[in-house]
């Protein structure tokens, strides 16, 4: 879990800043590579679609991560969600770790109040391995 914590420590402040400045953010991804460095995973711009749906961005990020899975120990995809059952907005973070063979989605509920980001109590949901499946 140290690799996943490393990703959270590096990327979470950036996501918080995006929420404070824009009130939302597009899905983004990063990984801990085999050199134990946090690496941002970028998608090529699609000139035909400047505002793609978040679900399609997540699918494209997963394709890139799967195609490069041998380059990584851990991956994360951050995205903004509205949770109907909890009636809240949340930062969702899908994570997987190659060596530990685990996959989770962490949820960090938040509220924006006059430019301040107020985080609630987080929780995680166990997922199936997707990126590092054999």
């Amino acid at each position: 879990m140290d690799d996943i914590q490393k990703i959270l420590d590096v990327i979470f402040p950036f996501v918080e800043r995006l929420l404070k400045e824009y009130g939302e953010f597009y899905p983004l991804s990063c990984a801990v590579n085999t050199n134990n460095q946090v690496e941002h995973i970028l998608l090529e711009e699609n000139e035909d679609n400047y505002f793609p749906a978040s679900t399609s961005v997540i699918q494209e990020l997963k394709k890139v991560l799967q195609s490069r899975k041998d380059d990584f120990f851990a991956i994360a995809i951050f995205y903004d969600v509205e949770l109907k059952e909890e009636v809240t907005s949340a930062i969702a973070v899908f994570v997987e770790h190659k060596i530990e063979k685990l996959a989770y989605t962490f949820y960090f509920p938040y509220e924006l109040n006059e430019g301040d980001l107020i985080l609630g109590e987080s929780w995680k949901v166990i997922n199936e391995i997707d990126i590092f499946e054999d």
Side-chain angles (χ1 to χ4, degrees):
M1 286 289 279
D2 288 346
D3 293 326
I4 292 169
Q5 188 61 54
K6 185 185 296 188
I7 291 171
L8 292 173
D9 290 345
V10 169
I11 302 304
F12 212 86
F14 176 66
V15 169
E16 288 177 316
R17 191 170 71 240
L18 289 173
L19 285 171
K20 287 178 186 177
E21 289 181 24
Y22 304 106
E24 62 185 355
F25 67 97
Y26 262 111
L28 56 101
S29 184
C30 57
V32 172
N33 62 29
T34 54
N35 293 324
N36 288 316
Q37 301 296 314
V38 175
E39 176 181 330
H40 295 267
I41 307 304
L42 303 174
L43 296 177
E44 300 223 5
E45 285 189 39
N46 182 346
E47 293 178 13
D48 297 332
N49 190 359
Y50 287 111
F51 303 104
S54 291
T55 53
S56 66
V57 174
I58 292 168
Q59 288 307 106
E60 289 302 311
L61 287 168
K62 284 185 174 185
K63 285 180 188 176
V64 170
L65 292 167
Q66 287 170 332
S67 72
R68 295 188 54 206
K69 68 183 180 180
D70 292 338
D71 298 340
F72 308 127
F73 290 133
I75 63 92
I77 300 173
F78 293 75
Y79 53 101
D80 196 7
V81 296
E82 294 293 324
L83 299 173
K84 293 178 180 148
E85 60 277 355
E86 301 291 331
V87 193
T88 187
S89 299
I91 301 166
V93 186
F94 171 75
V95 298
E96 279 191 35
H97 199 281
K98 179 191 284 186
I99 297 166
E100 295 180 23
K101 297 289 186 200
L102 59 81
Y104 297 112
T105 300
F106 293 101
Y107 292 96
F108 300 89
Y110 72 85
E111 182 180 319
L112 286 170
N113 186 1
E114 297 180 17
D116 287 331
L117 182 68
I118 302 160
L119 292 172
E121 189 172 331
S122 64
W123 70 92
K124 70 180 176 184
V125 174
I126 298 171
N127 295 110
E128 296 289 320
I129 299 286
D130 189 19
I131 305 301
F132 296 118
E133 66 184 346
D134 294 326

